[in-house]
Amino acid sequence: MTDAATNMRLKLPIICFILQIILIILFATLVQYDHDTDAAAWHNGNHTSESENDFYYRYPSFQDVHVMIFIGFGFLMTFLQRYGFSSVGFNFLIASFALQWATLMQGFFHGMHGGKIHIGVESMINADFCTGAVLISFGAVLGKTSPIQLLVMAMFEVTLFAVNEFILLSTLGAKDAGGSMTIHTFGAYFGLMVTRVLYRPNLDKSKHRNSSVYHSDLFAMIGTVFLWMYWPSFNSAVTAHGDDQHRTAMNTYYSLAACTMATYGMSALTAHDGKLDMVHIQNAALAGGVAAGTAGEMMLTPYGSMIVGFLAGIISVLGFKFLTPILEEKLKIQDTCGVHNLHGMPGVLGAIVGAVTAAVATTDVYGKGMADVFPDVASGEIGASYQGVRQAISLAVTLGIALLGGLIVGFILKLPVFGAPSDAICYEDSIYWEVPGEEEEAHDGQLAAVRTTETEKLNN
Amino acid sequence: MTDAATNMRLKLPIICFILQIILIILFATLVQYDHDTDAAAWHNGNHTSESENDFYYRYPSFQDVHVMIFIGFGFLMTFLQRYGFSSVGFNFLIASFALQWATLMQGFFHGMHGGKIHIGVESMINADFCTGAVLISFGAVLGKTSPIQLLVMAMFEVTLFAVNEFILLSTLGAKDAGGSMTIHTFGAYFGLMVTRVLYRPNLDKSKHRNSSVYHSDLFAMIGTVFLWMYWPSFNSAVTAHGDDQHRTAMNTYYSLAACTMATYGMSALTAHDGKLDMVHIQNAALAGGVAAGTAGEMMLTPYGSMIVGFLAGIISVLGFKFLTPILEEKLKIQDTCGVHNLHGMPGVLGAIVGAVTAAVATTDVYGKGMADVFPDVASGEIGASYQGVRQAISLAVTLGIALLGGLIVGFILKLPVFGAPSDAICYEDSIYWEVPGEEEEAHDGQLAAVRTTETEKLNN
Amino acid sequence: MTDAATNMRLKLPIICFILQIILIILFATLVQYDHDTDAAAWHNGNHTSESENDFYYRYPSFQDVHVMIFIGFGFLMTFLQRYGFSSVGFNFLIASFALQWATLMQGFFHGMHGGKIHIGVESMINADFCTGAVLISFGAVLGKTSPIQLLVMAMFEVTLFAVNEFILLSTLGAKDAGGSMTIHTFGAYFGLMVTRVLYRPNLDKSKHRNSSVYHSDLFAMIGTVFLWMYWPSFNSAVTAHGDDQHRTAMNTYYSLAACTMATYGMSALTAHDGKLDMVHIQNAALAGGVAAGTAGEMMLTPYGSMIVGFLAGIISVLGFKFLTPILEEKLKIQDTCGVHNLHGMPGVLGAIVGAVTAAVATTDVYGKGMADVFPDVASGEIGASYQGVRQAISLAVTLGIALLGGLIVGFILKLPVFGAPSDAICYEDSIYWEVPGEEEEAHDGQLAAVRTTETEKLNN
């Protein structure tokens, strides 16, 4: 990790161009329009109405998810005082790569039709979901990695994500529509392990930049609020049509509202002098969405959703207050955004809630809707309690793959060729960006004088 | 209102936790999934297609409304230079509480089925609407109230909102899809009465903070523009399916465009030296949405909508320029955001326009669509002119309940236990929030030097 | 262009009021609800379901386009350090005017039914599209024109846009759903010609304000990212229902992702010291949306879309780096936002791609879907290669009308009555806006002291 390596002039163009050309070649050989996007196929189909095209069931949800990925994650991370360009900008770059790569990786594992990957709005949502996991991991290493490291991380993480997702959904038969396990638990523990391997003992040299300023906290709130508002769409985007999408969105809505109440209460209780801490509000208030990611599509009931959200908010604030310092000092895990508190623990909570809710499912409650939520239970192949076991095993598998994967990828990222910043210049945009000045402070007095004079002239 | 009282360490956790636990208990005992969100019920129904689920008719509109409530109202209020955290943050808190409480209160009055409240996307929209009224009142008292006062206010206001809404829609048979009366008029006059009761004679001690700075005005424009863009969804979110939603959205679109033209013209005409005033642009340009809230679903015609918006913009700017100072000096109403100009007067205008438009409705114009817009007129029960009378009475009822309710709630909020800030520290985030510094001004020169040196080193 | 002329006290109100009153009169005499928005007409129709109303097919896309017009374009232009109010604010004003005027102009040319213009959600999208072209031209003259000049420009440009659109779509039978030609090429070259005619030889007097500061670049990223995210909705908003909307959105999604990869690579390659340049990221990353505007609805294939986006990103960055300085020095074209690089060249690229893709269309690939995309080819009236010729001619016509129109309108805007700013006070909000101070720098030290004292008092 020598300093000169941070110059991106050749490295970044080379990796961007090579990756994109590979993507184009693979898409050309492997990817096709699916039935609902192909002109010939759709018009050959028997449709009572154009409104039966999956576009109308899922595209509004897709757009909400898309906003969460690019505005939500991007701006959430702008809280750092001198890292706004990188937060939004690297988020933009790695998400643009990851969504293309995810289309292929997810397609390999569960979208092949006659040797071709068929794509449409549902695969777009799944690609954005996979990208979300990468961005969660990005939060753990924020400020300490070069864009090249991030692209390399994304490449491996997307691949492992697709493997884990395939095992959970196709092999184990688990349900995880909103990704408490596949997205949040996976992304968080993968990122935590990467940041552990990349541990920087002298990071306190950059400590003065690892904090917010007034306006950067407001920019971050744009990210927080968009994530919060659109989370019901996130959790419901790929559930079955009809009551499933409807119920999932509503469960998430109440989970988040309850979580926000818990977050404000806990923040005042634990923070300095009873004052609210922006870090808690920006992050912990979202834990209710994470925790409703698995059980949201089930008959969790509105009050059940509220309990889940309430617990998630409490756990998350406690994590920021007490666990993050321990992780850093004892376990040497430098978690910039606190993803363990927002995605890690609430993700595990969500997985557990999902397992329990699945285990107590009855035909009384689900009726014929059981076939949408738990098809193997509906068909009589397994009992509900066994579905619960599947869910629990899925959590364990996710944790295993995430931690092992993060370990390996972390060591890959340590290779001294990716242009990581030195310890003294972490959390600093000017390493990778041309950064303009702040408001021309120097001659602001002069400027104001000029302005006044100019304005006076105008009015005479 | 002693100073020590502003410490939130115990008060805020206690109220948040008690309220949320009560909500959970009430939801557990009273609330159920409705037909379109319940797995068993939906799958027992006879549906030609999953697209008949109300989710697909209303969820995109719901999400737009949701953005208005959390981003729109939240950021609109960030115009104050030192109150951005509180504006977005308290907006977030009280909205999260209010939408849960509103689900119950509105359910009691018009959503009961066999002793249970049935909820789905329509009740979610209505809960957000009710929350909107609370946030309007928040605008009137912005900067002068503690989060606890705001939660207490929300609790009472939501209840009274539900009572008023029940009287208007169910008892009087009025129409008010976009809430010119139920939301805007009610929220504004309720808030104005509360701020009247909470009058602070020595508020000029905080006067220097009751203004904007350059960047805070840009943050506020995020709120303004999102409110403006999504207002067509707001007014059309709960109208009947089909032409009604379609027409309402379009009427609102033209009303807002015309209102914006009027606002810019009036702002240049009335403001200092012919320069535009950000306060007008941020607020008055939205009055066209408020004023189309009642008549938007009717056959108002596009040019009728434009006239309504045009008038609303003119009235609103005039209010900011001439009425607000009078209200403050003569009537002792300290209206921080000028909600009287954005929601009060345009709301009343909207109610009157609604009454007139209803009174002139004919079967010629509405055809069989009359049953959607004015069911009692369509059934022959009443004549159109009587529907107009109903609308006018509804306005009077709304004003009465809002003013009386605000009076009582204002006195409750005066109890010296809620942690209100003293007159000298209003409009100041640091009372309730841990606030970071501004851009490290102190050693910015040094820092810049460090950066240059570091960068030079890298390039050698 | 005397200084006194910049006072807007009378000029702006007069033009706003006259224009709006004319609009209201023309709407009253000419505009009617269409079949899907009219209560009587819709309820007289034969509909299997309310979901057949065009509202449900297009309204979510409309709202996304609406966000692009008002937040996207508005905030994209806030990158200038002292022109944020004008960027968002004049964008808001001229868009509000243009969308009303466009309803009429587009209605005259292709929406007349028995002497009346019929409007609904599709005409709203088209009006927003036309507004987009005006805002592109605004980008070219940003900082150098008064709001009155902008309104006058909008009036003429909307008219010429409607003429060009009519020639392309109705007379020549070209396809251009996302407007590579009608919107982007037209808006860019029109604006470039206007700024050429308005050339200011002494503009370097304002050079110090023609740049960004740290936070203004972050505000601009809000615009960029919303444009990027919603561009799939933009290109698919008015295509045929079903597979067409679905496919267009997906093609645009991949085009943009590939474009972003190319943009980052090229930015690091061409910019100073291998650092990324915010100007490139904010603009060039969007070129993939522009370039997919014509061919997006065709069977371009996902990898074809990626190639188009990849090329667009490369061309766009190269344009910013090498062409913009030449345009300014040699051709005297002062293009503030670099619209030639974002809309001009990528628009032409998109037109060419559209022509080629049309020319190679076969019944094998499109099946019965050919009737949606190329109706004249499907009906056997012309061959696919002739459709390609039509597309190419359309590009030439668009360039001709844009350049000639911009020339004439540029000279009109030179009339010394519209209040243009003098060369020394360009890119400066305080000419047209009441501007608050920056953060009270002067007594910030004092203030901080006061705050500390106050807080200490509270805690005792």
Side-chain angles (χ1 to χ4, degrees):
Chain A
M1 282 195 239
T2 69
D3 285 348
T6 61
N7 189 310
M8 292 287 120
R9 163 147 288 169
L10 290 177
K11 290 177 186 177
L12 192 59
I14 289 169
I15 192 169
C16 284
F17 279 58
I18 288 178
L19 288 176
Q20 189 59 48
I21 289 165
I22 292 173
L23 286 166
I24 290 172
I25 294 168
L26 290 173
F27 266 68
T29 47
L30 288 168
V31 175
Q32 285 182 345
Y33 292 122
D34 72 4
H35 175 270
D36 287 26
T37 44
D38 187 85
W42 174 257
H43 284 270
N44 263 339
N46 265 323
H47 313 291
T48 55
S49 153
E50 298 284 349
S51 70
E52 291 304 307
N53 194 295
D54 203 30
F55 183 77
Y56 303 105
Y57 288 100
R58 303 211 186 273
Y59 187 71
S61 307
F62 160 71
Q63 273 297 0
D64 294 350
V65 171
H66 214 40
V67 172
M68 292 173 72
I69 296 297
F70 287 88
I71 285 282
F73 282 105
F75 276 88
L76 182 59
M77 295 187 280
T78 58
F79 72 98
L80 289 172
Q81 56 187 277
R82 291 290 303 180
Y83 212 63
F85 288 11
S86 304
S87 297
V88 179
F90 294 162
N91 187 85
F92 193 15
L93 171 63
I94 61 178
S96 293
F97 166 66
L99 66 87
Q100 296 179 75
W101 187 237
T103 305
L104 290 171
M105 290 299 117
Q106 295 178 315
F108 286 142
F109 286 109
H110 45 80
M112 298 297 275
H113 298 81
K116 297 287 183 179
I117 295 166
H118 285 199
I119 60 175
V121 68
E122 193 167 339
S123 74
M124 287 159 70
I125 296 168
N126 280 320
D128 268 35
F129 276 2
C130 177
T131 300
V134 176
L135 300 178
I136 290 165
S137 304
F138 177 32
V141 299
L142 187 75
K144 303 171 294 182
T145 39
S146 74
I148 302 193
Q149 284 180 302
L150 295 171
L151 284 169
V152 172
M153 183 181 83
M155 192 174 60
F156 287 109
E157 184 170 359
V158 164
T159 312
L160 290 166
F161 176 99
V163 171
N164 184 58
E165 188 186 40
F166 175 73
I167 296 174
L168 263 60
L169 307 190
S170 302
T171 311
L172 291 173
K175 297 290 286 189
D176 195 20
S180 289
M181 294 181 284
T182 54
I183 301 166
H184 299 287
T185 304
F186 182 85
Y189 288 97
F190 183 95
L192 290 167
M193 187 51 99
V194 169
T195 200
R196 172 64 192 82
V197 176
L198 297 180
Y199 178 66
R200 290 166 177 266
N202 299 314
L203 191 57
D204 54 355
K205 286 185 190 169
S206 290
K207 199 180 163 190
H208 55 292
R209 278 187 303 266
N210 186 9
S211 60
S212 65
V213 290
Y214 193 70
H215 278 130
S216 71
D217 269 328
L218 278 178
F219 277 112
M221 281 302 284
I222 297 175
T224 297
V225 179
F226 271 104
L227 285 169
W228 195 94
M229 294 183 304
Y230 286 154
W231 216 298
S233 302
F234 190 94
N235 285 348
S236 65
V238 294
T239 62
H241 296 166
D243 61 300
D244 303 79
Q245 282 194 276
H246 199 159
R247 180 173 59 250
T248 312
M250 193 164 72
N251 286 339
T252 308
Y253 172 79
Y254 286 110
S255 176
L256 284 162
C259 179
T260 303
M261 292 289 281
T263 298
Y264 275 81
M266 290 303 293
S267 185
L269 190 65
T270 61
H272 179 69
D273 278 336
K275 291 185 181 181
L276 294 162
D277 188 332
M278 261 291 166
V279 172
H280 302 159
I281 307 306
Q282 284 161 4
N283 291 281
L286 300 167
V290 174
T294 302
E297 68 175 317
M298 305 174 189
M299 290 291 285
L300 183 58
T301 74
Y303 83 93
S305 308
M306 288 157 78
I307 293 172
V308 170
F310 193 63
L311 292 176
I314 291 171
I315 290 171
S316 190
V317 174
L318 290 175
F320 275 102
K321 184 73 184 176
F322 301 109
L323 206 53
T324 293
I326 294 173
L327 288 184
E328 178 150 359
E329 281 159 42
K330 299 289 156 65
L331 299 183
K332 301 187 177 174
I333 296 173
Q334 293 158 328
D335 177 7
T336 311
C337 294
V339 301
H340 188 245
N341 310 306
L342 168 48
H343 301 280
M345 293 188 295
V348 172
L349 173 65
I352 296 168
V353 171
V356 173
T357 313
V360 300
T362 62
T363 316
D364 239 36
V365 170
Y366 288 80
K368 290 179 201 154
M370 184 69 93
D372 281 351
V373 185
F374 302 117
D376 294 347
V377 178
S379 70
E381 196 187 310
I382 60 167
S385 57
Y386 187 65
Q387 180 70 33
V389 174
R390 284 176 168 187
Q391 302 289 134
I393 294 171
S394 295
L395 173 61
V397 169
T398 300
L399 285 168
I401 294 179
L403 290 171
L404 188 63
L407 186 72
I408 297 166
V409 174
F411 277 104
I412 294 171
L413 296 185
K414 280 190 94 143
L415 295 177
V417 294
F418 299 130
S422 73
D423 292 349
I425 48 171
C426 286
Y427 316 116
E428 171 61 56
D429 273 337
S430 65
I431 308 303
Y432 301 115
W433 297 85
E434 291 207 56
V435 176
E438 294 279 347
E439 318 289 328
E440 311 183 72
E441 319 268 8
H443 44 110
D444 215 30
Q446 284 169 264
L447 211 91
V450 172
R451 264 168 216 151
T452 315
T453 319
E454 280 165 352
T455 313
E456 276 167 1
K457 269 197 294 185
L458 300 184
N459 301 331
N460 292 331
Chain B
M1 281 196 239
T2 69
D3 284 347
T6 61
N7 190 309
M8 293 286 119
R9 164 146 288 169
L10 290 177
K11 289 176 187 177
L12 191 61
I14 290 171
I15 190 169
C16 285
F17 279 57
I18 289 179
L19 288 176
Q20 188 60 48
I21 290 166
I22 292 173
L23 285 166
I24 290 172
I25 294 170
L26 290 174
F27 265 68
T29 47
L30 288 168
V31 175
Q32 285 181 346
Y33 291 123
D34 71 5
H35 175 270
D36 286 26
T37 44
D38 188 85
W42 173 256
H43 284 270
N44 263 340
N46 264 323
H47 312 291
T48 55
S49 154
E50 298 284 349
S51 69
E52 292 303 307
N53 193 295
D54 203 29
F55 183 76
Y56 304 105
Y57 288 101
R58 303 210 186 275
Y59 187 70
S61 306
F62 160 73
Q63 273 297 0
D64 294 350
V65 171
H66 215 39
V67 172
M68 292 172 73
I69 296 298
F70 286 88
I71 285 283
F73 281 106
F75 276 87
L76 181 59
M77 295 188 281
T78 58
F79 72 98
L80 289 172
Q81 56 185 277
R82 290 291 303 178
Y83 212 62
F85 288 12
S86 304
S87 296
V88 178
F90 294 162
N91 187 85
F92 193 15
L93 171 63
I94 60 177
S96 293
F97 165 67
L99 66 86
Q100 296 178 76
W101 187 237
T103 306
L104 290 171
M105 288 300 118
Q106 295 178 315
F108 285 142
F109 285 109
H110 46 80
M112 298 297 274
H113 298 80
K116 296 286 183 181
I117 295 166
H118 285 198
I119 61 175
V121 66
E122 193 168 341
S123 74
M124 287 159 69
I125 296 169
N126 280 320
D128 268 35
F129 276 1
C130 178
T131 300
V134 176
L135 299 178
I136 291 165
S137 304
F138 177 31
V141 299
L142 187 75
K144 302 171 296 181
T145 40
S146 74
I148 303 194
Q149 284 179 302
L150 294 170
L151 284 169
V152 172
M153 183 180 83
M155 191 173 61
F156 287 109
E157 184 170 359
V158 164
T159 312
L160 290 165
F161 176 99
V163 171
N164 183 57
E165 188 186 40
F166 175 73
I167 295 173
L168 264 60
L169 306 190
S170 302
T171 311
L172 291 172
K175 296 290 286 189
D176 194 21
S180 289
M181 294 182 284
T182 54
I183 302 166
H184 300 287
T185 304
F186 182 85
Y189 288 97
F190 183 94
L192 290 167
M193 187 53 99
V194 168
T195 199
R196 173 63 191 83
V197 176
L198 297 179
Y199 178 67
R200 290 167 177 265
N202 299 314
L203 191 57
D204 53 355
K205 286 185 191 169
S206 290
K207 199 181 162 188
H208 56 292
R209 278 188 303 267
N210 185 10
S211 59
S212 65
V213 290
Y214 192 71
H215 278 131
S216 71
D217 268 327
L218 277 178
F219 277 113
M221 281 303 284
I222 297 174
T224 297
V225 178
F226 271 105
L227 286 168
W228 195 93
M229 295 183 303
Y230 286 154
W231 217 297
S233 302
F234 190 94
N235 285 347
S236 65
V238 294
T239 62
H241 296 166
D243 62 300
D244 304 78
Q245 281 194 279
H246 199 160
R247 181 174 58 249
T248 312
M250 192 164 71
N251 286 339
T252 309
Y253 173 77
Y254 287 109
S255 177
L256 284 161
C259 179
T260 303
M261 292 289 282
T263 299
Y264 275 81
M266 290 303 293
S267 186
L269 190 66
T270 61
H272 179 69
D273 278 336
K275 291 186 182 180
L276 294 162
D277 188 332
M278 263 290 169
V279 172
H280 302 160
I281 307 307
Q282 284 161 4
N283 292 281
L286 300 166
V290 174
T294 303
E297 69 175 316
M298 305 175 189
M299 290 290 285
L300 182 57
T301 74
Y303 83 92
S305 308
M306 288 157 78
I307 292 172
V308 171
F310 193 63
L311 292 176
I314 292 172
I315 290 171
S316 190
V317 174
L318 290 175
F320 275 103
K321 185 72 185 177
F322 302 109
L323 205 54
T324 293
I326 293 173
L327 288 183
E328 177 150 1
E329 280 159 41
K330 298 291 156 62
L331 299 184
K332 299 185 177 176
I333 296 172
Q334 294 158 328
D335 176 7
T336 311
C337 293
V339 302
H340 188 244
N341 311 305
L342 167 49
H343 301 280
M345 292 188 297
V348 172
L349 173 66
I352 294 169
V353 170
V356 173
T357 313
V360 300
T362 62
T363 316
D364 239 34
V365 170
Y366 288 80
K368 289 180 203 154
M370 184 71 92
D372 281 351
V373 186
F374 302 116
D376 294 347
V377 178
S379 71
E381 197 186 311
I382 60 167
S385 57
Y386 187 67
Q387 180 69 32
V389 174
R390 284 175 168 187
Q391 301 288 136
I393 294 170
S394 294
L395 173 61
V397 169
T398 300
L399 285 168
I401 294 179
L403 290 171
L404 188 65
L407 185 73
I408 296 165
V409 174
F411 277 104
I412 294 171
L413 297 184
K414 280 190 94 144
L415 294 176
V417 295
F418 298 130
S422 73
D423 292 348
I425 49 172
C426 286
Y427 316 116
E428 170 61 57
D429 272 338
S430 65
I431 308 303
Y432 301 115
W433 297 84
E434 292 207 54
V435 176
E438 294 279 346
E439 317 289 329
E440 310 183 72
E441 319 270 6
H443 45 108
D444 213 31
Q446 285 168 266
L447 210 91
V450 171
R451 265 168 214 150
T452 315
T453 319
E454 282 166 350
T455 312
E456 276 167 2
K457 271 195 294 186
L458 301 183
N459 300 330
N460 292 330
Chain C
M1 282 195 239
T2 69
D3 285 347
T6 62
N7 189 307
M8 293 286 119
R9 164 146 289 167
L10 290 176
K11 291 177 186 175
L12 192 60
I14 288 171
I15 191 169
C16 285
F17 279 58
I18 289 179
L19 288 176
Q20 189 59 48
I21 289 166
I22 292 173
L23 285 166
I24 290 173
I25 293 169
L26 290 174
F27 265 69
T29 47
L30 289 168
V31 175
Q32 285 182 345
Y33 292 123
D34 72 4
H35 174 268
D36 286 27
T37 43
D38 187 84
W42 174 255
H43 284 270
N44 262 339
N46 265 322
H47 313 291
T48 54
S49 153
E50 298 284 348
S51 70
E52 292 303 307
N53 194 295
D54 202 31
F55 183 77
Y56 303 106
Y57 288 99
R58 304 211 184 272
Y59 188 71
S61 306
F62 160 72
Q63 273 297 0
D64 294 350
V65 171
H66 214 40
V67 171
M68 293 173 72
I69 296 296
F70 287 89
I71 284 283
F73 282 105
F75 276 87
L76 180 59
M77 295 187 281
T78 59
F79 72 98
L80 290 172
Q81 57 186 275
R82 291 290 301 178
Y83 211 63
F85 289 12
S86 304
S87 296
V88 179
F90 294 161
N91 188 86
F92 192 15
L93 171 63
I94 61 177
S96 294
F97 165 67
L99 67 85
Q100 296 179 76
W101 186 237
T103 306
L104 290 170
M105 290 299 117
Q106 295 178 314
F108 285 142
F109 286 110
H110 47 79
M112 299 296 275
H113 298 81
K116 296 288 185 182
I117 296 166
H118 285 198
I119 61 174
V121 68
E122 193 169 338
S123 73
M124 287 160 68
I125 295 170
N126 280 320
D128 268 35
F129 276 0
C130 177
T131 300
V134 176
L135 299 178
I136 291 165
S137 304
F138 177 32
V141 299
L142 187 75
K144 303 171 296 182
T145 39
S146 74
I148 302 195
Q149 284 180 301
L150 295 170
L151 285 170
V152 172
M153 183 181 83
M155 191 173 62
F156 287 108
E157 185 171 358
V158 164
T159 311
L160 290 165
F161 176 99
V163 171
N164 183 58
E165 188 186 39
F166 175 73
I167 295 174
L168 264 60
L169 307 189
S170 303
T171 311
L172 291 172
K175 296 290 287 189
D176 195 20
S180 288
M181 295 181 284
T182 54
I183 302 166
H184 300 287
T185 304
F186 182 85
Y189 288 96
F190 183 95
L192 290 167
M193 187 53 99
V194 168
T195 199
R196 172 64 192 82
V197 176
L198 297 179
Y199 178 65
R200 291 167 176 264
N202 299 313
L203 191 57
D204 54 354
K205 286 185 189 169
S206 290
K207 200 181 161 188
H208 56 292
R209 279 189 302 267
N210 186 9
S211 60
S212 65
V213 290
Y214 193 70
H215 278 131
S216 70
D217 269 327
L218 277 178
F219 277 112
M221 281 303 284
I222 298 174
T224 296
V225 179
F226 270 104
L227 285 169
W228 195 93
M229 296 183 302
Y230 286 154
W231 216 297
S233 303
F234 191 93
N235 284 348
S236 66
V238 295
T239 62
H241 297 165
D243 62 300
D244 303 79
Q245 282 194 279
H246 198 159
R247 180 174 59 250
T248 312
M250 192 164 72
N251 286 339
T252 308
Y253 173 78
Y254 286 109
S255 177
L256 284 162
C259 180
T260 303
M261 293 289 281
T263 299
Y264 276 81
M266 290 302 294
S267 186
L269 189 65
T270 61
H272 180 69
D273 278 336
K275 291 186 180 180
L276 294 162
D277 188 331
M278 262 290 168
V279 172
H280 302 159
I281 308 309
Q282 283 160 4
N283 292 280
L286 300 167
V290 174
T294 302
E297 68 175 318
M298 306 174 189
M299 290 291 285
L300 182 58
T301 74
Y303 83 93
S305 308
M306 288 157 78
I307 293 173
V308 171
F310 193 62
L311 292 176
I314 292 172
I315 290 172
S316 190
V317 174
L318 290 176
F320 275 104
K321 186 70 183 177
F322 300 108
L323 206 54
T324 294
I326 294 174
L327 287 184
E328 178 150 0
E329 281 159 42
K330 299 290 156 64
L331 299 184
K332 299 185 176 175
I333 296 173
Q334 293 158 329
D335 177 6
T336 310
C337 293
V339 301
H340 188 246
N341 311 306
L342 167 49
H343 301 280
M345 292 188 297
V348 171
L349 173 65
I352 296 169
V353 171
V356 173
T357 314
V360 301
T362 62
T363 316
D364 239 34
V365 171
Y366 287 80
K368 289 181 203 154
M370 184 70 92
D372 281 352
V373 186
F374 302 116
D376 294 345
V377 178
S379 70
E381 196 186 312
I382 60 166
S385 56
Y386 188 65
Q387 180 70 33
V389 174
R390 282 177 170 186
Q391 301 289 133
I393 294 171
S394 295
L395 173 61
V397 169
T398 300
L399 285 169
I401 294 179
L403 291 171
L404 188 64
L407 185 73
I408 297 165
V409 174
F411 278 104
I412 294 171
L413 296 184
K414 280 190 95 143
L415 294 176
V417 295
F418 298 131
S422 73
D423 292 349
I425 48 173
C426 286
Y427 315 117
E428 171 60 58
D429 273 339
S430 66
I431 308 302
Y432 302 115
W433 297 86
E434 293 208 54
V435 176
E438 295 278 348
E439 317 287 330
E440 311 183 71
E441 320 269 5
H443 45 109
D444 214 31
Q446 284 169 265
L447 210 91
V450 172
R451 263 168 216 149
T452 315
T453 320
E454 281 167 350
T455 313
E456 276 168 2
K457 270 196 295 185
L458 300 184
N459 300 331
N460 291 333

